[in-house]
Amino acid sequence: MIEARPVATPRLDLLPLRTADAAEMARVLGDPALHTFIGGEPYSEDALRARYRRLVAGSPDPAVSWLNWVVRLRAEDCLTGTVQATVDHAARVAEIAWVVGTPWQGRGIAGEAARALADALAGGTVAGPLEAVVAHVHPEHAASAAVARSAGLSPTGVWQDGEIRWRRLPPPG
């Protein structure tokens, strides 16, 4: 099993998720509009804390690692969202996802965070050598498609649960 380690970008710190992040993240993720494409509704602080406790404990499957980060915007000293990777060690594939709170959208934060995560994964510095980094994006979610493109992923035409699979292959060599 591998664990999330801090990742820095010019503006952001991707910090390994902690249960203690639930209070601030409940406010960051509290806008029901965030759930337009992913479904559900915002978690209460207590429910988010319980969810984070499960995520921090890690996958019950030893062949899979759950890696989760909160995204901290250094200039404002606040959390703005999350990025995550589910690494299937047998398949050597990491599936990534991202979410940025409504007040911080449109500022390139999701793209910068997803790009840093995908670069670290594709470069083997997080999970060892991988065959691919993938994400699933709702076909009507143009902003999320732009984030995937920014992270170096391309649409594959493969559909899963109503979303398009995007894929980034490792660099040749």
Side-chain angles (χ1 to χ4, degrees):
M1 183 168 108
I2 55 176
E3 294 183 5
R5 295 182 308 225
V7 176
T9 74
R11 298 184 300 158
L12 309 172
D13 292 313
L14 309 184
L15 303 170
L17 179 71
R18 302 169 308 138
T19 303
D21 294 323
E24 186 172 358
M25 289 306 299
R27 291 186 298 277
V28 170
L29 303 175
D31 184 352
L34 286 175
H35 298 267
T36 300
F37 293 105
I38 60 174
E41 57 189 46
Y43 286 104
S44 69
E45 182 180 330
D46 288 340
L48 194 58
R49 185 175 295 103
R51 176 172 169 70
Y52 285 2
R53 195 174 297 116
R54 287 189 305 276
L55 292 173
V56 169
S59 170
D61 181 347
V64 174
S65 291
W66 294 342
L67 306 173
N68 295 275
W69 293 262
V70 289
V71 178
R72 181 178 159 270
L73 180 60
R74 261 186 245 108
E76 297 179 20
D77 191 26
C78 65
L79 300 181
T80 62
T82 63
V83 291
Q84 64 186 48
T86 299
V87 180
D88 179 332
H89 298 286
R92 294 179 38 199
V93 172
E95 182 167 348
I96 65 172
W98 51 85
V99 64
V100 169
T102 307
W104 299 277
Q105 291 180 1
R107 296 167 56 180
I109 292 169
E112 187 174 331
R115 184 172 45 258
L117 177 56
D119 287 350
L121 288 163
T125 61
V126 172
L130 296 172
E131 294 293 322
V133 175
V134 301
H136 291 89
V137 177
H138 191 284
E140 296 176 17
H141 199 326
S144 204
V147 170
R149 203 170 283 108
S150 175
L153 285 79
S154 301
T156 65
V158 174
W159 289 74
Q160 181 177 329
D161 298 327
E163 296 182 322
I164 299 171
R165 182 181 182 105
W166 289 61
R167 181 179 177 111
R168 175 177 169 166
L169 299 173

